[in-house]
Amino acid sequence: MNDAGGHTAAVVPSARHLVRAKDLADARYSEPLTVADLARAARLSPAHFSREFRRTFGESPHQYLLTRRLERAAALLRNTDRPVIEICFAVGLRSLGSFTTSFQRVYGRPPGAYRSSFPPAARLIRIPGCVARGYGRPQNRTFREVGPAAHS
């Protein structure tokens, strides 16, 4: 495409813009993102963005964001003992009823039943609790500390 000065304008493929919006949804799924936010990231109007997103990725932006949230919720249900309602809010959903309905639609059972089909998260830790706590503490090291290898 040439402009009035005869220069060729750089045409950025819309798929690149759409991937930018998809990356935003992946990175900030727990925040209250809207289609308008994603469309702004893609630098497209919301209606055009929604059409292009669906045509490119096979699902609507809202459906994609909901899927990301439900995948993260499933991982938290499998690997933590956090309450279901806390997981609901942690992944960016605002209604426990909507979360339960959407989760059951995707995974075939409600969140509590899904969790109960896996071993409790505490069983995943195969080290004593005192060791897990010790390694979980932040390390306050200074540059003057010398590691054990330097003493030998």
Side-chain angles (χ1 to χ4, degrees):
M1 173 185 298
N2 291 334
D3 60 5
H7 302 283
T8 303
V11 177
V12 178
S14 65
R16 177 175 284 175
H17 292 281
L18 296 174
V19 169
R20 191 178 310 135
K22 195 174 178 183
D23 289 346
L24 176 66
D26 289 339
R28 295 174 42 192
Y29 64 89
S30 63
E31 298 177 16
L33 290 175
T34 63
V35 172
D37 296 331
L38 298 174
R40 197 173 309 112
R43 298 180 185 161
L44 297 172
S45 72
H48 184 63
F49 167 73
S50 292
R51 279 190 309 271
E52 289 300 310
F53 194 93
R54 180 183 292 276
R55 188 178 62 79
T56 304
F57 300 115
E59 59 186 344
S60 71
H62 174 74
Q63 190 176 14
Y64 179 80
L65 184 59
L66 180 61
T67 301
R68 294 284 79 75
R69 289 173 171 163
L70 294 176
E71 286 174 350
R72 181 64 184 145
L76 290 172
L77 288 166
R78 286 191 310 268
N79 301 321
T80 71
D81 290 327
R82 294 167 68 177
V84 172
I85 190 152
E86 186 179 310
I87 290 173
C88 168
F89 292 123
V91 299
L93 297 170
R94 302 289 170 242
S95 164
L96 182 60
S98 297
F99 169 60
T100 301
T101 302
S102 299
F103 194 90
Q104 187 163 356
R105 189 177 307 130
V106 172
Y107 289 95
R109 51 194 138 162
Y114 179 82
R115 169 178 271 163
S116 65
S117 65
F118 292 94
R123 286 189 182 175
L124 297 175
I125 298 175
R126 296 182 186 255
I127 56 175
C130 60
V131 173
R133 284 189 299 276
Y135 279 98
R137 291 188 185 127
Q139 301 293 318
N140 295 320
R141 297 189 184 270
T142 65
F143 290 107
R144 293 187 195 144
E145 289 185 42
V146 179
H151 288 292
S152 57

